[in-house]
């Protein structure tokens, strides 16, 4: 329903009832104001009242590639509606004609040779990622040709299936499902992944609950996972948003395979992307990857203590700091009594020999714990600690 969705976006909130049997096969040839004495041409938009549509149907065979638009009339003979593709709006005939005519002119301008709307985002996105489109004017021109345009902010969804060939075996099915769930979004398949440019309503940084549920349902159907970028109004950053969302998806899936989650947002997992950048730059500069030397010295002491005593103080510290030192919340997450948690935190303070009341110390310890999490779970490595000398204490790496 590529062309229909574009027309619905043009009409916006005026659309009240939708009964679609078939999409338009090509960009509509013309807009027809209904006349019960004239046959209906194929591949056209027809505008009239419900009663006029019913009268035309009695005299002529209606081509499948026709969509009717009608003002909403509560007392009209609505029985005709299910037999044809019909959209009812709150607009009267003349404003409705003007709106649809404007949309048709935009379509013809974007696609002077006619054809499908689907290919435009495929080509545009491929050129963005390959950097064939990189200048502001080029990108703006490409955006103008997309089926769904918006000046609002957007997020990119990067979706990959557990089976890399899943989407290639049924490309139209996954694209149709995503379009139905996000009808005013641009959708493409790229490098065995599905990509959705979702136009975010308003200024909310969170995906609405109903949209999350729709996406979750699709992910479960295809045994797939999604990385979602932050929203932005800068359309020059489409390639950047794609690369970030793709990398976050890769990191989160490997680090948290048993989390039960299928949706990984930049808002929640973006720190691990930053740590990934940090790791790769560190490795390039230092010619080794022992990132222990970026961490607070107390982390090495905690790791040694956990290894020697078979404890998990480092994990407790990470949870404690992630939840703003809330003992009750930390205890609930770790299934420990509050007093037990408090005793362990006191022991952690003794080992790291630093003040958790200092926000900069807390920030550095949180960074250190998350970096170790990344190093252990994503890189699947452990810090290389030197043997402890009696005169060194526990804090010498």
């Amino acid at each position: 329903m590529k062309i229909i969705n574009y027309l619905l976006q043009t009409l916006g909130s005026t659309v009240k009832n939708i009964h679609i049997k078939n999409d338009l096969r090509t960009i509509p040839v013309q807009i027809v104001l209904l006349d019960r004495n004239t046959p209906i041409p194929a591949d056209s938009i027809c505008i009239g009242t419900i009663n006029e549509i019913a009268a035309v149907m009695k005299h002529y065979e209606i081509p499948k590639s026709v969509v009717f638009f009608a003002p909403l009339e509560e007392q009209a003979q609505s029985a005709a509606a299910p037999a044809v593709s019909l959209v009812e709006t709150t607009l009267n005939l003349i404003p409705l004609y003007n709106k649809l005519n404007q949309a048709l002119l935009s379509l013809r301008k974007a696609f002077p040779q006619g054809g499908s709307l689907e290919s435009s985002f495929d080509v545009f996105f491929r050129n963005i990622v390959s950097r064939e489109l990189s200048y502001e004017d080029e990108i703006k021109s490409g955006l103008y040709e997309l089926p769904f345009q918006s000046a609002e902010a957007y997020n990119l969804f990067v979706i990959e299936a557990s089976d890399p060939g899943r989407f290639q075996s049924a490309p139209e099915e996954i694209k149709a499902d995503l379009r139905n769930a996000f009808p005013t979004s641009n959708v493409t398949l790229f490098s065995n992944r599905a990509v959705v440019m979702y136009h975010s309503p308003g200024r909310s940084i969170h995906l609405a609950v109903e949209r999350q549920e729709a996406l979750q349902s699709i992910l479960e159907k295809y045994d797939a996972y999604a990385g979602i970028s932050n929203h932005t109004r800068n359309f020059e950053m489409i390639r950047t948003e794609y690369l970030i969302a793709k990398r976050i998806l890769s990191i989160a899936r490997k680090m948290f395979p048993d989390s039960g989650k299928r949706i990984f947002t930049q808002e929640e997992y973006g720190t691990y992307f930053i740590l990934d950048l940090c790791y790769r730059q560190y490795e390039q500069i230092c010619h080794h990857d022992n990132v222990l030397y970026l961490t607070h010295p107390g982390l090495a002491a905690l790791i040694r203590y956990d290894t020697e005593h078979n404890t998990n103080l480092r994990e407790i510290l990470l949870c404690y700091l992630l939840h703003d030192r809330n003992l009750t919340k930390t205890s609930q997450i770790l299934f420990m009594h509050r007093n037990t948690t408090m005793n362990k935190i006191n022991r952690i303070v003794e080992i790291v020999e630093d003040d958790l009341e200092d926000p900069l110390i807390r920030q550095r310890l949180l960074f250190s714990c998350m970096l170790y999490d990344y190093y252990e779970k994503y890189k699947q490595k452990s810090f290389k600690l030197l043997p402890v000398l009696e005169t060194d204490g526990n804090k010498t790496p």
Side-chain angles (χ1 to χ4, degrees):
M1 291 174 44
K2 299 173 284 294
I3 297 176
I4 290 295
N5 282 337
Y6 180 80
L7 299 176
L8 294 178
Q9 183 190 37
T10 300
L11 296 176
S13 61
T14 68
V15 174
K16 296 303 176 184
N17 295 318
I18 305 173
H19 307 278
I20 300 299
K21 299 296 182 181
N22 298 94
D23 194 13
L24 295 161
R25 296 176 300 182
T26 64
I27 295 173
V29 177
Q30 58 185 308
I31 299 178
V32 177
L33 286 171
L34 282 182
D35 179 349
R36 63 188 67 191
N37 297 317
T38 304
I40 303 298
D43 299 314
S44 62
I45 298 172
C46 296
I47 299 176
T49 65
I50 293 292
N51 290 336
E52 287 172 335
I53 294 172
V56 168
M57 289 177 61
K58 289 180 181 179
H59 295 89
Y60 301 103
E61 182 178 352
I62 307 299
K64 290 183 178 179
S65 56
V66 169
V67 177
F68 292 91
F69 287 80
L72 184 64
E73 300 178 51
E74 294 182 1
Q75 303 302 320
Q77 298 175 11
S78 58
V84 295
S85 292
L86 171 67
V87 176
E88 294 180 278
T89 87
T90 56
L91 295 174
N92 292 326
L93 288 175
I94 298 304
L96 179 57
Y97 176 89
N98 290 338
K99 280 274 190 182
L100 292 173
N101 188 54
Q102 181 183 12
L104 183 55
L105 290 174
S106 296
L107 286 173
R108 287 173 177 164
K109 186 174 182 179
F111 302 91
Q113 304 302 319
S116 169
L117 295 178
E118 180 179 349
S119 62
S120 60
F121 187 57
D122 296 341
V123 174
F124 173 80
F125 189 77
R126 183 174 65 248
N127 290 341
I128 282 283
V129 175
S130 67
R131 304 190 71 181
E132 290 183 38
L133 290 179
S134 57
Y135 295 106
E136 180 180 359
D137 291 344
E138 293 176 334
I139 294 174
K140 285 183 177 179
S141 177
L143 286 168
Y144 185 76
E145 297 180 359
L146 296 185
F148 304 109
Q149 306 166 34
S150 174
E152 298 293 331
Y154 69 92
N155 304 76
L156 278 189
F157 302 172
V158 178
I159 302 170
E160 58 186 34
S162 295
D163 175 4
R166 179 68 175 89
F167 295 158
Q168 295 303 321
S169 64
E172 294 307 316
E173 182 183 0
I174 177 61
K175 287 195 282 188
D177 285 342
L178 288 169
R179 288 194 186 99
N180 288 335
F182 305 97
T184 58
S185 298
N186 295 295
V187 178
T188 188
L189 292 184
F190 180 81
S191 188
N192 291 327
R193 298 178 180 89
V195 179
V196 179
M197 178 186 269
Y198 172 68
H199 296 290
S200 313
R203 293 181 174 272
S204 174
I205 64 174
H206 301 287
L207 192 62
V209 173
E210 61 272 17
R211 299 276 66 84
Q212 288 189 44
E213 292 174 349
L215 179 58
Q216 179 73 21
S217 177
I218 292 172
L219 297 177
E220 291 173 356
K221 175 180 178 180
Y222 293 93
D223 189 18
Y225 301 84
I228 301 181
S229 73
N230 283 344
H231 78 318
T232 178
R233 290 180 295 166
N234 189 347
F235 288 90
E236 294 177 59
M237 292 294 109
I238 291 174
R239 181 176 182 271
T240 298
E241 295 283 281
Y242 167 71
L243 295 175
I244 291 174
K246 183 179 74 166
R247 189 65 175 176
I248 285 174
L249 179 56
S250 172
I251 294 170
R253 284 189 64 189
K254 189 171 181 179
M255 287 187 64
F256 308 102
D258 300 322
S259 67
K261 291 188 175 182
R262 291 187 179 271
I263 300 174
F264 302 98
T265 65
Q266 183 178 351
E267 180 185 357
E268 187 173 0
Y269 293 91
T271 301
Y272 288 106
F273 173 73
I274 296 171
L275 292 170
D276 181 62
L277 293 177
C278 178
Y279 169 86
R280 287 187 282 171
Q281 185 69 6
Y282 178 87
E283 187 179 36
Q284 182 178 341
I285 292 173
C286 299
H287 303 289
H288 66 82
D289 72 345
N290 190 4
V291 289
L292 171 66
Y293 296 90
L294 295 178
T295 65
H296 186 286
L299 182 64
L302 275 182
I303 294 171
R304 285 197 181 98
Y305 185 92
D306 282 342
T307 302
E308 293 171 4
H309 298 85
N310 194 28
T311 54
N312 64 337
L313 295 185
R314 180 187 56 82
E315 294 178 14
I316 293 172
L317 176 60
L318 174 59
C319 185
Y320 182 64
L321 295 175
L322 282 174
H323 294 90
D324 200 25
R325 296 188 296 162
N326 186 316
L327 275 174
T328 302
K329 184 70 173 177
T330 303
S331 301
Q332 290 173 346
I333 293 172
L334 297 176
F335 301 103
M336 296 193 306
H337 191 277
R338 191 176 185 279
N339 291 341
T340 302
T341 304
M342 183 181 299
N343 291 335
K344 289 184 179 294
I345 293 299
N346 291 336
R347 184 71 183 113
I348 288 170
V349 172
E350 292 175 2
I351 294 171
V352 300
E353 297 181 9
D354 228 328
D355 183 9
L356 295 187
E357 295 299 319
D358 186 330
L360 291 178
I361 297 298
R362 293 200 303 273
Q363 186 275 336
R364 193 175 176 200
L365 283 169
L366 178 59
F367 168 87
S368 300
C369 289
M370 293 185 75
L371 180 59
Y372 185 84
D373 233 23
Y374 163 88
Y375 194 68
E376 182 182 51
K377 294 177 181 178
Y378 185 67
K379 305 308 294 185
Q380 297 184 333
K381 297 182 178 182
S382 299
F383 283 167
K384 299 171 184 177
L385 300 176
L386 294 177
V388 177
L389 300 179
E390 291 183 7
T391 56
D392 285 341
N394 281 342
K395 292 172 60 176
T396 303

